[in-house]
Amino acid sequence: MTSEARRSPARVSVSPAATSEELEEFHRNLFLPLVRRATWKHGLSKEDARDLVQDAFVLAIGKLRPEGNPRAWLTRVVDNLATNLQRKYCRRARLAEIWSLRALLKADPCESIEEDVKGE
Amino acid sequence: MTSEAELVALIPRWLAQTHGVDVPTGLRREEAVRRAVDLYHRLKMNRLVPSELELNDDFKDTLHGLVQVALPMTRVTLRSAADVFRLIERLPWPEHDYQEKQDLLQIVASLGWRAMGCDPDEVLILRKNAGDPQAPLPATFTSQSSGATTTGQSWRQVGQISQSAAEEIRRGAGGSLMALFRFCRYLAELNEYSVSEARLEAMRIRKLLEESPSAGVFDERQYFLAELARLVGVSCRIAGRWQEAATWLDQAEAGFARTLCPTVGAAQIAYARLGLMFHRYRLLEAIEGSGPLETIFERLSMQTQAVKCRVVKAMALKGLGRLDEAVLLFEAITAKTTSGEATMRVRLLTHLGNAYREQGRTADAERVLTEALKLWPEREASVCGADAKFIFADLLRAQGRSGPAKALFARAKLEYLSLGMDWFAAYAAVLLAETELAMGEAANAEAEIRWALPILQEREMVPEGYAALALLTQSIRKRNVDSGALQELRQKLSRGL
């Protein structure tokens, strides 16, 4: 699992169950707009966008102050996480390209992979 | 509707309840794009029915697909961008929705501006610099605009610039209203030479724009309505019509909030309000507000405006009697200005000279005020030139050099009058009268006060000011000018200047 939310549920303090209306409103007014932002502005798949927004919520538990501007804070965090994710994808794509070139040249793709990673 | 704080409080519960659950995320990208392409074709063929435009989450994804994928895939024309813009603009999007609507509209407008041959970044630069006639113009703008650009003399071309702005508005839909950018820069420059003319011209063109609902393509009409309201507000502030200025600035603020880049407009309104705070003697507020606003301007890369915030802070410090701090700040800002920025430099030297005078450093005051007067052409009536003459005259008066002081006060008064700054002319008349009284010219002093009283009576003042004004009025009726009341009135009037 890539999502930190899925990895470490123990960090989340479980409150009494919210009503379904409250969760629906949360889904519609907070979750979905952030997923759309990550999807369309940053070009992520819906699945990646969902995991990323959940990660932003996990960060919010420790850091977000309700007296500030929560929406602006969450938007900024989603933008930053999305940028990081895109960078990660770019690095992976470059490595994949190197490996495939090696394969084409009939070299062992795993031979010096550690050097390539260090080079990145 | 749950409040922001309540929504935030729901985050732990949300995470707990969605742990391991496949939370719905709306339409898949591919499906959204497919629907977007279909929507675009039906929009082009004018086959959309209102029931299809219900703003649910699927439709929001479709709109994102339309704006970010489907529309850019086509050969975007001004008309196609405008059609999509109108479609989104009409949708009743909740305001708190992460500015999704504004983001979408910005993307469409950028595509449309590109189709017109305008770089969207340059449009933003023009909006940032609309009130700064010295700021360089982007290349696209200079190549598109015919005739004169602002070269420091464009304020003389009243008829030509105003006429082309009016013609562009009358042309109606389809225009970028580029001539209005030139008009706004011209007004900002005209404010320095003829405040009343600038105010009247801005109001005239604004009214024309108000009556032309089809002018512009995207948010241009809304933007220029707001910008022109701001410029009228600035003219009113310079002319001393502060209540009127506050009303216009409120109107401009409301207008900017409806444009695609509201931050720049909001910051400029905040700056104009900072100036009003100073004039209304709310000096501590002006000092507190200047720092954060300066930071905002720096973040927006609007350096001239950032410097102006520091000037207001220094003026407020001087007003509070914190002269050492004020002088240090004025000296630091003045050192960074060049002779190329004549208006700004003259203004700064005048403030610095005034602060030196209050510190008792008369030689320094005389030196910088002389430099200020030399920088400005003698024949040219301007706000900064009139201010420099006025402050120099006050220095001479304090030194007991009544003859030259009288001559300079009289010139400053005339310049203020020609600029449409009646209140400042009346204030100059009060000082002129005081100087004439000191010279034993009671009849001349009385005439000056008689002329100034009706203007001064209209002005908002502290209660002591009204008391001094009443005493002075009474003494004038008895044909014996009360020099004590005159001095008292002058001191009260000098607050906030």
Side-chain angles (χ1 to χ4, degrees), chain B residues 118-129:
Chain B
C118 302
D119 182 339
D121 291 340
E122 291 189 350
V123 174
L124 183 62
I125 292 171
L126 279 171
R127 290 188 182 193
K128 279 182 182 177
N129 295 335

Side-chain angles (χ1 to χ4, degrees), chain A residues 6 9 12-18 22-23 25-34 36-37 39-40 43-44 46-47 50 54 57-58 61 64 70-71 75, chain B residues 1-2 4-5 7-8 10-19 22-29 32-33 57 60-61 64-65 68-69 96-98 100 103:
Chain A
R6 291 178 186 189
V12 181
S13 60
V14 182
S15 311
E22 281 177 321
L23 287 179
E25 190 177 344
F26 186 95
H27 179 250
R28 195 176 54 246
N29 289 341
L30 207 63
F31 177 79
L32 279 182
L34 288 170
R36 279 198 294 273
R37 187 176 180 89
T39 305
W40 296 105
L44 301 183
K46 282 283 173 101
E47 291 72 23
R50 177 189 57 207
Q54 294 287 62
F57 287 153
V58 171
I61 290 173
L64 178 58
R71 282 177 197 273
T75 307
Chain B
M1 173 61 61
T2 312
E4 296 276 294
L7 276 179
V8 172
L10 277 174
I11 290 177
R13 295 190 220 169
W14 166 265
L15 286 172
Q17 301 231 354
T18 55
H19 179 58
D22 208 4
V23 186
T25 52
L27 281 186
R28 297 188 64 78
R29 276 182 69 98
V33 172
D57 289 313
K60 284 178 186 173
D61 268 317
H64 278 283
Q68 312 240 23
V69 184
H96 58 75
D97 223 359
Y98 292 92
E100 259 188 302
D103 285 349

Side-chain angles (χ1 to χ4, degrees), chain A residues 74-93:
Chain A
L74 283 165
T75 307
R76 212 164 46 242
V77 170
V78 164
D79 285 349
N80 290 341
L81 290 175
T83 308
N84 289 346
L85 192 63
Q86 282 168 325
R87 280 199 199 120
K88 199 161 90 180
Y89 284 159
C90 282
R91 278 200 301 273
R92 279 185 189 170

